[in-house]
Amino acid sequence: MRPGEEQVAFPVATEPASSSRPPSAPSPSPSSRGRAAGAGLRPAVIALDVGGTDIKSALVARGARPGVPDEILVERVVPTRAAQGPEASVAAVLAAVEALRAEVPAGYQVRGVGLAVPGTVDEAAGVVLNAENLDWVDLPLRQVVADATGLPVGFGHDVRAGGLAEARLGAGRGEPDHAYVSVGTGIAAAIVLRGEVYAGRGFAGELGHGGVRGGTPCPCGGSGCAETYASAAGMARSYRELTGASASEVPGSAEVLARAQAGDDVAREVWDRAVDRLGELVAAMVRVLALPVVVIGGGLVRAGDDLMVPLDAAVRSYLTIHPAPRLVPAVLGSAAGTYGATVLAWDAVAASDLEPM
């Protein structure tokens, strides 16, 4: 795991109280489980959360009995090798799958693979339309992995996969209509309607893009996008530009918040501006979709009340006739993408089991 990251696990979520079942991705039907997994073999999946720097992977077994959470058997983090080109990063994905496949303990059988990937993603087609950090363009990654492994492959956008995991296993359980907003290096949302994540042909939830023309250039090709100053990375960059601090002194938003708490007026201005813009983005979603709940995730949520209290006030300040949503912190942390990849994998296994023999 990366230094400072929590280990992936499947804890019982405390939100909402309406569900008493421990979180676990939906199981295949008993008949399909027995047909494909083989007598006496416990089914497992391989889950990959692919990032621009690292691939977080896990070998996950179905709970030993109904109602028991899934079990992490093996976890690994390996470099994505993006700097070596798109072929190298695809090879790294395939190698990560095979490495975990080689570590399957006796008595288990790998049934499928789940992929949570960055960029603009067409889940239905299984294609990465554009992932700038990996130089992937029109990459049919789901088929590439399926051809290499011979297994069913679940495939999704990393934030939408994280939102799916929070909806099934975490803070969004029991809420058929809500959004999961991830604030980290960028800003994006997973919109959940009637219990399903809405993909919008791969473009839904890109909250961080669009802004003031002539503002700070954004990697998307625009300028003045919310990500350039309201994301965790954007806060740190804004502070460094205003003060001349180095990247080693202020690498991220945690340092900006710490300086604001210590009385640094510039840091306070940067933090407050970012939170206010986040509130404006959340309020815009609420005005369109009338969402009753918004789950806040990503690295920024670690700020706790320093984020959630002023964010709630900011959202309310931008709403007039619409009821303010209940803001809740995500419960799956930095492992949300891995959880999401696990859910995608089990869904792919279940769909494959329903296909005619």
Side-chain angles (χ1 to χ4, degrees):
M1 302 296 290
R2 296 187 186 98
E5 283 193 338
E6 66 269 30
Q7 185 177 10
V8 178
F10 283 80
V12 176
T14 57
E15 288 280 353
S18 60
S19 175
S20 59
R21 184 179 185 272
S24 181
S27 299
S29 66
S31 60
S32 66
R33 181 190 297 189
R35 185 189 82 192
L41 293 178
R42 190 169 158 194
V45 294
I46 291 172
L48 270 65
D49 178 11
V50 182
T53 302
D54 295 326
I55 300 169
K56 293 190 285 186
S57 60
L59 177 65
V60 184
R62 178 61 77 201
R65 60 185 184 277
V68 174
D70 289 356
E71 177 186 353
I72 304 298
L73 302 176
V74 183
E75 294 177 80
R76 294 287 180 266
V77 177
V78 297
T80 310
R81 296 167 52 195
Q84 299 174 37
E87 294 84 1
S89 53
V90 171
V93 169
L94 297 176
V97 173
E98 290 307 313
L100 284 182
R101 214 171 180 182
E103 294 191 63
V104 177
Y108 295 84
Q109 182 186 57
V110 173
R111 300 286 316 286
V113 178
L115 303 172
V117 299
T120 305
V121 174
D122 185 338
E123 281 95 342
V127 174
V128 181
L129 301 176
N130 184 24
E132 294 177 359
N133 291 338
L134 297 170
D135 197 22
W136 290 352
V137 178
D138 295 332
L139 173 66
L141 186 61
R142 181 173 62 197
Q143 193 62 52
V144 169
V145 175
D147 290 344
T149 63
L151 295 169
V153 177
F155 175 82
H157 181 264
D158 52 1
V159 173
R160 286 194 287 273
L164 176 65
E166 287 286 349
R168 297 264 190 100
L169 315 175
R173 286 192 305 150
E175 297 290 348
D177 299 324
H178 67 275
Y180 165 77
V181 178
S182 177
V183 187
T185 303
I187 303 170
I191 300 167
V192 180
L193 301 175
R194 298 180 180 176
E196 299 293 332
V197 178
Y198 175 69
R201 301 183 306 281
F203 293 93
E206 291 291 351
L207 290 184
H209 298 293
V212 180
R213 294 185 185 276
T216 302
C218 178
C220 76
S223 60
C225 293
E227 279 191 7
T228 61
Y229 52 88
S231 66
M235 284 190 222
R237 183 171 53 250
S238 295
Y239 181 83
R240 294 195 299 264
E241 290 174 352
L242 290 169
T243 64
S246 67
S248 60
E249 292 174 311
V250 184
S253 59
E255 288 73 23
V256 175
L257 177 58
R259 292 182 179 223
Q261 292 169 331
D264 185 324
D265 290 339
V266 175
R268 174 53 61 189
E269 178 183 353
V270 168
W271 179 267
D272 289 348
R273 180 180 68 171
V275 173
D276 181 73
R277 185 58 193 272
L278 288 173
E280 184 180 15
L281 296 177
V282 171
M285 285 198 305
V286 171
R287 283 195 294 270
V288 174
L289 298 171
L291 298 168
V293 173
V294 176
V295 178
I296 307 297
L300 202 65
V301 79
R302 295 173 184 163
D305 285 349
D306 287 300
L307 170 68
M308 300 300 290
V309 172
L311 180 59
D312 180 74
V315 172
R316 292 173 184 275
S317 75
Y318 284 105
L319 296 174
T320 54
I321 64 173
H322 292 79
R326 181 166 59 93
L327 301 185
V328 296
V331 300
L332 301 181
S334 61
T338 307
Y339 284 104
T342 302
V343 173
L344 291 169
W346 286 125
D347 283 356
V349 170
S352 176
D353 286 342
L354 292 174
E355 294 175 359
M357 293 290 286

Coordinates of all heavy atoms in Angstrom, one line a residue, residues 157-239:
H157 N -15.4 3.8 -14.8 CA -14.6 5.0 -14.5 C -14.3 4.9 -13.0 O -15.1 4.5 -12.2 CB -15.5 6.2 -14.8 CG -14.8 7.5 -14.5 ND1 -15.0 8.2 -13.3 CD2 -14.0 8.3 -15.3 CE1 -14.4 9.3 -13.4 NE2 -13.7 9.4 -14.5
D158 N -13.1 5.4 -12.6 CA -12.7 5.3 -11.2 C -13.6 6.0 -10.2 O -14.0 5.4 -9.2 CB -11.2 5.7 -11.0 CG -10.9 7.1 -11.6 OD1 -11.9 7.8 -12.1 OD2 -9.8 7.6 -11.5
V159 N -14.1 7.2 -10.5 CA -14.9 7.9 -9.6 C -16.3 7.3 -9.6 O -16.9 7.1 -8.6 CB -15.0 9.4 -9.9 CG1 -16.1 10.1 -9.1 CG2 -13.6 10.0 -9.7
R160 N -16.8 6.9 -10.8 CA -18.1 6.2 -10.8 C -18.1 4.9 -10.1 O -19.1 4.4 -9.5 CB -18.7 6.1 -12.2 CG -19.1 7.4 -12.8 CD -19.9 7.2 -14.1 NE -19.1 6.9 -15.2 CZ -18.5 7.7 -16.0 NH1 -18.6 9.0 -15.8 NH2 -17.8 7.3 -17.1
A161 N -17.0 4.2 -10.2 CA -16.8 2.9 -9.5 C -16.8 3.2 -8.0 O -17.4 2.4 -7.2 CB -15.5 2.2 -9.9
G162 N -16.1 4.2 -7.6 CA -16.1 4.6 -6.2 C -17.5 5.0 -5.7 O -17.9 4.6 -4.6
G163 N -18.2 5.7 -6.5 CA -19.6 6.0 -6.2 C -20.5 4.8 -6.1 O -21.4 4.7 -5.2
L164 N -20.3 3.8 -7.0 CA -21.0 2.6 -7.0 C -20.7 1.8 -5.6 O -21.6 1.3 -5.0 CB -20.6 1.7 -8.2 CG -21.2 0.3 -8.2 CD1 -22.7 0.4 -8.4 CD2 -20.5 -0.5 -9.4
A165 N -19.5 1.8 -5.2 CA -19.1 1.2 -4.0 C -19.7 1.8 -2.8 O -20.3 1.2 -1.9 CB -17.6 1.1 -3.8
E166 N -19.7 3.2 -2.8 CA -20.4 3.9 -1.7 C -21.9 3.6 -1.7 O -22.5 3.6 -0.6 CB -20.1 5.4 -1.7 CG -18.6 5.8 -1.3 CD -18.4 5.7 0.2 OE1 -19.3 5.5 0.9 OE2 -17.2 5.8 0.5
A167 N -22.5 3.5 -2.9 CA -23.9 3.3 -3.0 C -24.3 1.9 -2.5 O -25.3 1.7 -1.8 CB -24.4 3.5 -4.4
R168 N -23.4 0.9 -2.8 CA -23.7 -0.5 -2.4 C -23.3 -0.8 -1.0 O -23.9 -1.6 -0.3 CB -23.0 -1.4 -3.4 CG -23.5 -1.3 -4.8 CD -24.5 -2.3 -5.2 NE -24.7 -2.3 -6.7 CZ -24.2 -3.2 -7.5 NH1 -23.4 -4.2 -7.0 NH2 -24.4 -3.2 -8.8
L169 N -22.1 -0.3 -0.6 CA -21.4 -0.8 0.6 C -21.3 0.3 1.6 O -21.0 0.0 2.8 CB -20.0 -1.3 0.3 CG -19.9 -2.2 -0.9 CD1 -18.4 -2.6 -1.2 CD2 -20.7 -3.5 -0.7
G170 N -21.3 1.6 1.3 CA -20.9 2.6 2.2 C -22.0 3.7 2.5 O -23.1 3.3 2.8
A171 N -21.6 4.9 2.4 CA -22.5 6.0 3.0 C -23.7 6.2 2.2 O -24.6 6.9 2.7 CB -21.6 7.3 3.0
G172 N -23.8 5.7 0.9 CA -25.0 5.9 0.1 C -26.0 4.8 0.2 O -27.0 4.8 -0.5
R173 N -25.7 3.8 1.0 CA -26.6 2.6 1.1 C -28.0 3.1 1.6 O -28.1 3.9 2.5 CB -26.1 1.6 2.1 CG -25.0 0.8 1.5 CD -24.7 -0.4 2.4 NE -24.5 0.0 3.8 CZ -24.8 -0.8 4.8 NH1 -25.3 -2.0 4.7 NH2 -24.5 -0.4 6.1
G174 N -29.0 2.6 0.9 CA -30.4 2.9 1.3 C -30.9 4.2 0.7 O -32.0 4.6 0.9
E175 N -30.0 4.9 -0.1 CA -30.4 6.2 -0.7 C -30.5 6.0 -2.2 O -29.4 6.0 -2.9 CB -29.4 7.3 -0.4 CG -29.4 7.6 1.1 CD -30.6 8.3 1.6 OE1 -31.5 8.7 0.8 OE2 -30.8 8.5 2.8
P176 N -31.6 5.8 -2.8 CA -31.7 5.5 -4.3 C -31.2 6.6 -5.1 O -30.7 6.4 -6.2 CB -33.1 5.1 -4.5 CG -33.9 5.8 -3.4 CD -33.0 5.7 -2.2
D177 N -31.4 7.9 -4.7 CA -31.0 9.1 -5.4 C -30.0 9.9 -4.6 O -30.3 10.4 -3.5 CB -32.2 9.9 -5.8 CG -33.2 9.2 -6.6 OD1 -32.8 8.4 -7.5 OD2 -34.4 9.5 -6.4
H178 N -28.8 9.9 -5.1 CA -27.7 10.7 -4.4 C -26.6 10.9 -5.3 O -26.6 10.4 -6.4 CB -27.3 10.1 -3.1 CG -26.5 8.8 -3.3 ND1 -27.1 7.6 -3.4 CD2 -25.2 8.5 -3.3 CE1 -26.2 6.6 -3.5 NE2 -25.0 7.2 -3.5
A179 N -25.6 11.7 -4.9 CA -24.4 11.8 -5.7 C -23.2 11.6 -4.7 O -23.2 11.8 -3.5 CB -24.3 13.2 -6.2
Y180 N -22.1 11.1 -5.3 CA -20.8 10.9 -4.7 C -19.9 11.9 -5.3 O -19.6 11.8 -6.5 CB -20.4 9.4 -4.8 CG -18.9 9.2 -4.5 CD1 -18.5 9.1 -3.2 CD2 -18.0 9.0 -5.5 CE1 -17.1 8.9 -2.9 CE2 -16.7 8.7 -5.2 CZ -16.2 8.7 -3.9 OH -14.9 8.4 -3.6
V181 N -19.3 12.8 -4.6 CA -18.4 13.8 -5.1 C -17.0 13.5 -4.5 O -16.8 13.5 -3.3 CB -18.8 15.2 -4.7 CG1 -17.8 16.2 -5.2 CG2 -20.2 15.5 -5.3
S182 N -16.1 13.2 -5.5 CA -14.7 13.0 -5.1 C -13.9 14.2 -5.3 O -13.8 14.7 -6.4 CB -14.2 11.8 -5.9 OG -12.8 11.5 -5.6
V183 N -13.2 14.6 -4.2 CA -12.3 15.8 -4.3 C -10.9 15.4 -3.9 O -10.6 15.1 -2.8 CB -12.8 16.9 -3.4 CG1 -12.0 18.2 -3.6 CG2 -14.3 17.2 -3.6
G184 N -10.1 15.3 -4.9 CA -8.7 15.0 -4.7 C -7.8 15.7 -5.7 O -7.9 17.0 -5.7
T185 N -7.1 15.0 -6.5 CA -6.3 15.7 -7.5 C -7.2 16.4 -8.5 O -6.9 17.5 -9.0 CB -5.4 14.7 -8.3 OG1 -4.6 14.0 -7.4 CG2 -4.6 15.3 -9.3
G186 N -8.4 15.9 -8.7 CA -9.4 16.5 -9.5 C -10.7 16.6 -8.7 O -10.8 16.2 -7.6
I187 N -11.8 16.9 -9.4 CA -13.1 17.0 -8.9 C -14.1 16.3 -9.8 O -14.1 16.7 -11.0 CB -13.6 18.4 -8.6 CG1 -12.7 19.2 -7.7 CG2 -15.0 18.4 -8.0 CD1 -13.0 20.7 -7.6
A188 N -14.7 15.3 -9.4 CA -15.7 14.6 -10.2 C -16.8 14.0 -9.4 O -16.6 13.8 -8.1 CB -15.0 13.5 -11.1
A189 N -17.9 13.6 -10.0 CA -19.0 13.0 -9.2 C -19.5 11.8 -9.9 O -19.4 11.6 -11.1 CB -20.1 14.1 -9.1
A190 N -20.1 10.9 -9.1 CA -20.9 9.8 -9.6 C -22.3 10.1 -9.2 O -22.6 10.3 -8.0 CB -20.4 8.5 -8.9
I191 N -23.2 10.2 -10.2 CA -24.6 10.5 -9.9 C -25.4 9.2 -9.9 O -25.4 8.4 -10.8 CB -25.1 11.4 -11.0 CG1 -24.3 12.7 -11.1 CG2 -26.6 11.7 -10.8 CD1 -24.6 13.5 -12.3
V192 N -26.1 8.9 -8.8 CA -26.8 7.7 -8.6 C -28.3 8.0 -8.6 O -28.8 8.8 -7.8 CB -26.5 7.0 -7.2 CG1 -27.2 5.7 -7.0 CG2 -25.0 6.8 -7.1
L193 N -29.0 7.5 -9.6 CA -30.4 7.7 -9.8 C -31.1 6.3 -9.7 O -30.8 5.4 -10.5 CB -30.7 8.4 -11.1 CG -30.0 9.8 -11.2 CD1 -30.3 10.3 -12.6 CD2 -30.5 10.8 -10.2
R194 N -32.1 6.2 -8.9 CA -32.9 5.0 -8.7 C -31.9 3.8 -8.5 O -32.2 2.7 -9.0 CB -33.8 4.7 -9.9 CG -34.8 5.8 -10.1 CD -35.7 5.5 -11.4 NE -36.7 6.6 -11.5 CZ -37.5 6.7 -12.5 NH1 -37.5 5.7 -13.5 NH2 -38.4 7.6 -12.6
G195 N -30.9 4.0 -7.8 CA -30.0 3.0 -7.4 C -28.9 2.6 -8.4 O -28.1 1.8 -8.1
E196 N -28.9 3.3 -9.6 CA -28.0 3.0 -10.6 C -27.1 4.2 -10.9 O -27.6 5.4 -10.9 CB -28.7 2.6 -11.9 CG -29.5 1.3 -11.8 CD -28.7 0.1 -11.5 OE1 -27.5 0.1 -12.0 OE2 -29.2 -0.9 -10.9
V197 N -25.8 4.0 -11.1 CA -24.9 5.1 -11.5 C -25.1 5.5 -12.9 O -25.1 4.7 -13.8 CB -23.4 4.7 -11.3 CG1 -22.5 5.8 -11.6 CG2 -23.2 4.3 -9.8
Y198 N -25.4 6.8 -13.1 CA -25.6 7.3 -14.5 C -24.3 7.7 -15.1 O -23.6 8.6 -14.5 CB -26.6 8.5 -14.4 CG -26.8 9.2 -15.7 CD1 -27.5 8.6 -16.7 CD2 -26.3 10.5 -15.9 CE1 -27.7 9.2 -17.9 CE2 -26.5 11.1 -17.2 CZ -27.2 10.5 -18.2 OH -27.3 11.1 -19.4
A199 N -24.0 7.1 -16.2 CA -22.7 7.4 -16.9 C -22.8 8.5 -17.9 O -21.7 9.1 -18.2 CB -22.2 6.1 -17.5
G200 N -23.9 8.7 -18.6 CA -24.0 9.7 -19.6 C -23.0 9.6 -20.7 O -22.3 10.5 -21.1
R201 N -22.9 8.3 -21.3 CA -22.0 8.0 -22.4 C -20.6 8.3 -22.0 O -19.7 8.6 -22.8 CB -22.4 8.8 -23.6 CG -23.8 8.5 -24.1 CD -24.1 9.2 -25.4 NE -23.9 10.6 -25.3 CZ -24.8 11.5 -24.8 NH1 -25.9 11.0 -24.2 NH2 -24.5 12.7 -24.7
G202 N -20.3 8.3 -20.7 CA -18.9 8.5 -20.2 C -18.6 9.9 -19.8 O -17.5 10.1 -19.3
F203 N -19.5 10.8 -19.9 CA -19.2 12.2 -19.6 C -19.9 12.8 -18.4 O -19.7 13.9 -18.0 CB -19.5 13.1 -20.8 CG -18.6 12.8 -22.0 CD1 -19.0 11.9 -23.0 CD2 -17.4 13.5 -22.1 CE1 -18.2 11.7 -24.1 CE2 -16.6 13.2 -23.2 CZ -17.0 12.3 -24.2
A204 N -20.7 12.0 -17.7 CA -21.5 12.5 -16.6 C -20.6 12.7 -15.4 O -19.6 11.9 -15.1 CB -22.6 11.5 -16.2
G205 N -20.9 13.7 -14.6 CA -20.2 14.0 -13.4 C -18.9 14.7 -13.4 O -18.2 14.8 -12.4
E206 N -18.5 15.3 -14.6 CA -17.3 16.0 -14.7 C -17.4 17.4 -14.1 O -17.4 18.4 -14.8 CB -16.8 16.0 -16.1 CG -16.3 14.7 -16.6 CD -15.0 14.2 -16.0 OE1 -14.4 15.0 -15.2 OE2 -14.7 13.0 -16.2
L207 N -17.6 17.5 -12.8 CA -17.9 18.8 -12.1 C -16.7 19.7 -12.2 O -16.9 20.9 -12.2 CB -18.2 18.5 -10.7 CG -19.5 17.9 -10.3 CD1 -19.7 17.8 -8.8 CD2 -20.7 18.6 -10.9
G208 N -15.5 19.2 -12.2 CA -14.3 20.0 -12.1 C -14.0 20.8 -13.3 O -13.1 21.7 -13.3
H209 N -14.7 20.6 -14.4 CA -14.3 21.3 -15.7 C -15.4 22.3 -16.1 O -16.6 22.1 -15.9 CB -14.1 20.3 -16.8 CG -12.9 19.4 -16.4 ND1 -11.6 19.8 -16.4 CD2 -12.9 18.1 -16.1 CE1 -10.8 18.9 -16.0 NE2 -11.6 17.8 -15.8
G210 N -14.9 23.4 -16.7 CA -15.8 24.5 -17.0 C -15.6 25.6 -16.0 O -15.5 25.4 -14.8
G211 N -15.4 26.8 -16.5 CA -15.1 27.9 -15.5 C -15.0 29.2 -16.3 O -15.6 29.5 -17.3
V212 N -14.1 30.1 -15.7 CA -14.0 31.4 -16.3 C -13.0 31.4 -17.4 O -11.8 30.9 -17.3 CB -13.5 32.4 -15.1 CG1 -13.3 33.8 -15.7 CG2 -14.4 32.3 -14.0
R213 N -13.4 31.9 -18.6 CA -12.4 32.0 -19.7 C -11.3 32.9 -19.3 O -11.5 34.0 -18.8 CB -13.2 32.5 -20.9 CG -14.2 31.5 -21.5 CD -14.8 32.0 -22.8 NE -15.9 31.1 -23.2 CZ -15.7 30.0 -23.9 NH1 -14.5 29.6 -24.2 NH2 -16.7 29.3 -24.3
G214 N -10.1 32.5 -19.7 CA -8.9 33.4 -19.4 C -8.3 33.1 -18.0 O -7.4 33.8 -17.7
G215 N -8.9 32.2 -17.3 CA -8.3 31.9 -16.0 C -7.2 30.9 -16.1 O -6.6 30.7 -17.2
T216 N -6.8 30.3 -15.0 CA -5.7 29.3 -15.0 C -5.9 28.2 -15.9 O -7.0 27.6 -15.9 CB -5.5 28.8 -13.5 OG1 -5.3 29.8 -12.6 CG2 -4.3 27.8 -13.5
P217 N -4.9 27.9 -16.8 CA -5.1 26.8 -17.8 C -5.3 25.5 -17.0 O -4.7 25.2 -16.0 CB -3.8 26.8 -18.5 CG -3.2 28.2 -18.4 CD -3.7 28.6 -17.0
C218 N -6.2 24.6 -17.6 CA -6.5 23.3 -17.0 C -6.0 22.2 -18.0 O -6.0 22.4 -19.2 CB -8.0 23.2 -16.8 SG -8.5 21.6 -16.2
P219 N -5.6 21.1 -17.5 CA -5.1 20.0 -18.4 C -6.2 19.6 -19.4 O -5.9 19.0 -20.4 CB -4.8 18.9 -17.4 CG -4.4 19.5 -16.2 CD -5.3 20.7 -16.1
C220 N -7.5 19.8 -19.1 CA -8.5 19.4 -20.0 C -8.5 20.3 -21.3 O -9.2 19.9 -22.3 CB -9.9 19.6 -19.3 SG -10.5 21.2 -19.2
G221 N -7.8 21.4 -21.3 CA -7.8 22.3 -22.5 C -8.5 23.5 -22.2 O -8.4 24.5 -23.0
G222 N -9.3 23.6 -21.2 CA -10.0 24.8 -20.8 C -9.2 25.7 -19.9 O -8.0 25.5 -19.7
S223 N -9.9 26.7 -19.4 CA -9.2 27.6 -18.4 C -10.2 28.0 -17.4 O -11.4 28.1 -17.6 CB -8.7 28.8 -19.2 OG -9.7 29.6 -19.8
G224 N -9.6 28.3 -16.2 CA -10.5 28.7 -15.1 C -11.4 27.6 -14.5 O -12.3 27.9 -13.8
C225 N -11.1 26.4 -14.9 CA -11.9 25.3 -14.3 C -11.8 25.2 -12.8 O -10.8 25.5 -12.2 CB -11.5 23.9 -14.9 SG -11.8 23.8 -16.7
A226 N -12.9 24.7 -12.2 CA -13.0 24.6 -10.8 C -11.8 23.8 -10.2 O -11.3 24.1 -9.1 CB -14.3 24.0 -10.3
E227 N -11.4 22.8 -11.0 CA -10.3 21.9 -10.5 C -9.0 22.7 -10.3 O -8.1 22.3 -9.5 CB -10.0 20.8 -11.5 CG -10.9 19.6 -11.4 CD -10.4 18.5 -12.3 OE1 -9.3 18.5 -12.8 OE2 -11.1 17.5 -12.4
T228 N -8.8 23.8 -11.0 CA -7.6 24.6 -11.0 C -7.4 25.2 -9.6 O -6.2 25.6 -9.3 CB -7.5 25.6 -12.1 OG1 -8.5 26.6 -12.0 CG2 -7.6 24.9 -13.4
Y229 N -8.4 25.4 -8.8 CA -8.2 26.0 -7.5 C -9.1 25.4 -6.4 O -8.8 25.6 -5.2 CB -8.5 27.5 -7.6 CG -9.8 27.9 -8.1 CD1 -10.9 28.0 -7.4 CD2 -9.9 28.2 -9.5 CE1 -12.2 28.4 -7.9 CE2 -11.1 28.6 -10.1 CZ -12.2 28.7 -9.3 OH -13.4 29.1 -9.8
A230 N -10.1 24.6 -6.7 CA -11.0 24.0 -5.7 C -10.6 22.6 -5.4 O -11.1 22.0 -4.4 CB -12.4 24.2 -6.1
S231 N -9.8 21.9 -6.2 CA -9.4 20.6 -5.9 C -8.3 20.6 -4.9 O -7.7 21.7 -4.6 CB -8.9 19.9 -7.2 OG -7.7 20.5 -7.6
A232 N -7.9 19.5 -4.3 CA -6.8 19.4 -3.3 C -5.5 19.9 -4.0 O -4.8 20.7 -3.4 CB -6.7 18.0 -2.8
A233 N -5.3 19.4 -5.2 CA -4.1 19.8 -5.9 C -4.1 21.3 -6.3 O -3.1 22.0 -6.2 CB -3.9 19.0 -7.1
G234 N -5.3 21.8 -6.6 CA -5.5 23.2 -7.0 C -5.3 24.1 -5.9 O -4.7 25.2 -6.0
M235 N -5.7 23.7 -4.7 CA -5.4 24.6 -3.5 C -4.0 24.7 -3.2 O -3.5 25.9 -3.0 CB -6.1 23.9 -2.3 CG -7.6 24.0 -2.1 SD -8.1 23.5 -0.5 CE -9.5 22.6 -1.0
A236 N -3.2 23.6 -3.3 CA -1.8 23.7 -3.0 C -1.1 24.5 -4.1 O -0.2 25.4 -3.8 CB -1.2 22.3 -3.0
R237 N -1.5 24.4 -5.3 CA -0.9 25.1 -6.4 C -1.2 26.6 -6.3 O -0.3 27.5 -6.4 CB -1.4 24.6 -7.7 CG -0.7 25.3 -8.9 CD -1.1 24.6 -10.2 NE -2.5 24.4 -10.4 CZ -3.2 23.2 -10.3 NH1 -2.5 22.1 -10.1 NH2 -4.5 23.2 -10.5
S238 N -2.4 26.9 -5.9 CA -2.8 28.3 -5.7 C -2.0 29.0 -4.6 O -1.5 30.1 -4.8 CB -4.3 28.4 -5.4 OG -5.1 28.0 -6.5
Y239 N -1.9 28.3 -3.5 CA -1.1 28.8 -2.4 C 0.3 29.1 -2.8 O 0.9 30.1 -2.5 CB -1.2 27.9 -1.2 CG -0.5 28.4 0.0 CD1 -1.1 29.4 0.8 CD2 0.8 28.0 0.3 CE1 -0.4 29.9 1.9 CE2 1.5 28.6 1.4 CZ 0.9 29.5 2.2 OH 1.6 30.0 3.3

